[in-house]
Amino acid sequence: MNFVIISGQSGAGKSQAKKVFEDLGYYCVDNLPPSLIPDFVRLLENNAENISHVALVIDIRGGQFFKDLEDHLAIFSERHHDVKIFYFEAGDSVLLKRFKETRRSHPLNPTGRIEEAISEEKQKLSSLRDKAHFIINTSDMNQAKLKSEIARYLKIGEEITGIAITVMSFGFKKGIPMDSDFIFDVRFLPNPYYIDELRHKTGNQKEVSDYVMSFEESVKYYDHLMHLIDYVIPQFSNDGRTQLVISIGCTGGQHRSVTFTNKMAKALIQKGYSVNTVHRDARKEA
């Protein structure tokens, strides 16, 4: 198993980092007392769900337990697991501003001055910082930049960090999919429903898809859609998005939308994207 320890200064973005690791497929646990690390590791080893990537958020909130963190980290090497420590920090003025904006007290000294607590915490964490594999300063980072930085350190391939795309066909008469990022309407294209031998089939069958794409307006419209999609996917990915839902609708969700969905999904797969094809309203083939 691969383990990541997420630690660092309070207010430096550990909660945001946890969300990033979750998006990257890690099983995340927040505020685990260091004394429970050995038992937790053994529990995962005996887990039938085959969890391979785990991120543990461990910080000063653990109180007196935190001072034993370094001793309990030895369990990873003893059990032959890879572990990387990510230490998150920010400038004192940035941390102070974040605490003021959120009106939160510092966990190290809830009733004292925040500025003093920041200084004390930095001193208490100094030895852990020295042992960290990666130190990330979040003073000038947004969520997208944070994700990019973490992925860069992990050297994760496209299969994990790439955006997950769902291409969905649907029928307008049954409602628009509410989770759609893009909705494209193909109802203006010639409808196979009015061809007797095609009416009871769907766009999953070659004779239907061939009919839909036999028209010049179908080919031109599809090409325009792919030009748009080819442009927006990298933009969404660069912005830190992990999922994109593209919905294509016709009247009943049987013929034209299914044809376009299959054709687009196949093209995106060939480009190397992770694609899930969904036909929400199409009847199952006989």
Side-chain angles (χ1 to χ4, degrees), residues 47 56 81 84 87 128 132 145 163 165 183 193 208 211:
N47 194 299
L56 307 177
H81 296 304
K84 293 290 187 292
Y87 185 92
L128 177 63
K145 175 62 177 175
I163 190 169
I165 303 171
I183 296 177
Y193 178 84
V208 173
Y211 175 83

Side-chain angles (χ1 to χ4, degrees), residues 161-177:
T161 61
I163 190 169
I165 303 171
T166 296
V167 187
M168 181 190 309
S169 68
F170 72 96
F172 276 95
K173 68 180 183 180
K174 294 187 178 180
I176 294 174

Side-chain angles (χ1 to χ4, degrees), residues 147 162-166 181 236 240-245:
K147 179 178 180 179
I163 190 169
I165 303 171
T166 296
D181 295 297
F236 272 68
R241 293 283 292 273
T242 59
Q243 294 182 325
L244 179 66
V245 179

